[in-house]
Amino acid sequence: MDLRQLDTLIAVAETGSFAAAAARVNLTASAVSQQIQALEAELGAQLFDRRTRPPRLNAGGEEMLRTARRMVQEMAETRLAISGGSTAGVLRIGAIRTVSMQLAPHALAGLSPRYPDLAFALTVGVSETLIADVAAHRLDAALVAEHVGLPAGLSWTEVLSEPLVLIAPRGTHDGSDAEMLRRLPFIRYRTAVPLARQIETELARLGVAPREVAVVNTMPAVVGCVAAGMGCAVVPKLALMDTAGDRFVARPFGEGRITRRLGLVERQVSSRARVLEVFRAELGRCVEAAGLDRPSAALPVDTLAGVPGGR
């Protein structure tokens, strides 16, 4: 098979017909049909259900389409890397919400003067979705929490390790974590992300069933509820970067032992590799400026299977 056949397959799938695909790839409808037939002959299987009009991809065709898109994208990235064009266009970065508020924008701002021909697109989401988007070439890289079991072809490089903190309204009397959680109303962070499960696990380990006053599904809103005087909460330190510190009291949760690790996930083969290396350096500078902990050795890992508590 060659890239022309793969381009033609993608065009047929996206336009919905052989005739429309022909116009896109600048071929006759007959030539499109011949390319598809040649691809099917090489694979030894039909890719379309020709009982329908227009023909539709069958299950095997859908699988081949995914492979074709990946191969065409990887070839395009390789051409960019060889030609030096990887420093132009759009760098597509994903980030979880707490990272998107300060850390990612400041790192992109530091990157911008070095690559004046590069534009940026920042997508905010949850770790699982962002990782899938990197694997599917919808994003160049994503800042996500530590995650168990990356898809093949991706690597994750730790950027920072941040503590979880217990925060309470200004003027709250100090005490142990358990005492404060029993004494004060609790703002519960409830979403499908592993950070929420990590907090619940630690509460259970302490043997605390806090008196719930509110349930919130975004971390900025949790911090806002505490700052408004509603009660206490457990949050990652990054969530406090946008809030005036005199509005609440904060202490390390679990005596500073409870942390989450954040890092950059990217494809192992990418035309943006050099740009992303500089981006990681900018992230490290921003982490230090924010008073957060950088890893002692930021080494990429191909999979985090076996690492407990992927978040």
Side-chain angles (χ1 to χ4, degrees), residues 1 5 36-48 50 58 60-61 64:
M1 71 185 70
Q5 292 172 336
I36 296 299
Q37 289 174 3
L39 180 59
E40 289 177 325
E42 187 169 348
L43 293 170
Q46 286 199 348
L47 302 177
F48 288 85
R50 290 177 170 80
N58 57 28
M64 187 62 221

Side-chain angles (χ1 to χ4, degrees), residues 14-292:
E14 292 182 349
T15 62
S17 73
F18 284 31
R24 175 186 286 193
V25 298
N26 199 28
L27 292 172
T28 64
S30 175
V32 166
S33 180
Q34 289 173 4
Q35 285 200 2
I36 296 299
Q37 289 174 3
L39 180 59
E40 289 177 325
E42 187 169 348
L43 293 170
Q46 286 199 348
L47 302 177
F48 288 85
D49 181 356
R50 290 177 170 80
R51 294 171 298 180
T52 64
R53 288 291 179 270
R56 294 181 181 178
L57 286 169
N58 57 28
E62 292 288 353
E63 182 65 28
M64 187 62 221
L65 176 63
R66 287 189 287 271
T67 299
R69 282 173 168 158
R70 184 177 68 251
M71 292 174 67
V72 168
Q73 178 65 30
E74 287 178 354
M75 181 57 72
E77 290 193 352
T78 301
R79 284 175 178 151
L80 281 171
I82 293 172
S83 66
S86 59
T87 57
V90 179
L91 181 69
R92 294 177 172 83
I93 298 293
I96 58 175
R97 186 177 296 272
T98 50
V99 179
S100 71
M101 295 186 293
Q102 290 275 356
L103 193 60
H106 278 87
L108 291 174
L111 192 65
S112 185
R114 300 188 59 169
Y115 298 100
D117 296 326
L118 194 63
F120 305 104
L122 182 61
T123 299
V124 181
V126 299
S127 292
E128 290 86 348
T129 301
L130 296 174
I131 290 170
D133 285 343
V134 175
H137 296 257
R138 290 186 289 269
L139 295 173
D140 294 302
L143 278 161
V144 300
E146 180 181 346
H147 208 272
V148 173
L150 289 178
L154 300 187
S155 64
W156 182 91
T157 306
E158 184 179 349
V159 172
L160 73 115
S161 177
E162 64 168 338
L164 300 189
V165 295
L166 177 60
I167 60 174
R170 183 177 55 187
T172 300
H173 296 300
D174 200 5
S176 69
D177 291 349
E179 289 170 349
M180 293 179 68
L181 287 164
R182 290 189 180 103
R183 185 172 75 243
L184 299 173
F186 185 66
I187 292 92
R188 190 177 300 277
Y189 178 52
R190 182 172 291 164
T191 71
V193 302
L195 173 61
R197 297 193 292 272
Q198 183 188 16
I199 293 171
E200 294 300 316
T201 297
E202 293 304 319
L203 292 176
R205 187 183 61 81
L206 287 172
V208 175
R211 177 166 51 91
E212 190 176 281
V213 67
V215 176
V216 186
N217 68 352
T218 70
M219 195 53 71
V222 171
V223 175
C225 288
V226 176
M230 292 181 63
C232 67
V234 177
V235 303
K237 189 175 181 179
L238 271 177
L240 305 182
M241 291 180 66
D242 266 353
T243 307
D246 60 354
R247 299 178 66 188
F248 48 79
V249 297
R251 53 176 291 160
F253 183 53
E255 300 179 351
R257 297 189 306 272
I258 313 303
T259 62
R260 72 166 178 171
R261 299 166 68 204
L262 303 178
L264 191 70
V265 63
E266 58 192 283
R267 291 183 294 279
Q268 293 171 357
V269 178
S270 171
S271 66
R272 302 295 197 187
R274 175 56 186 158
V275 177
L276 292 173
E277 182 181 347
V278 178
F279 181 56
R280 287 196 302 272
E282 286 296 324
L283 286 168
R285 182 184 59 79
C286 294
V287 166
E288 289 183 346
L292 297 166

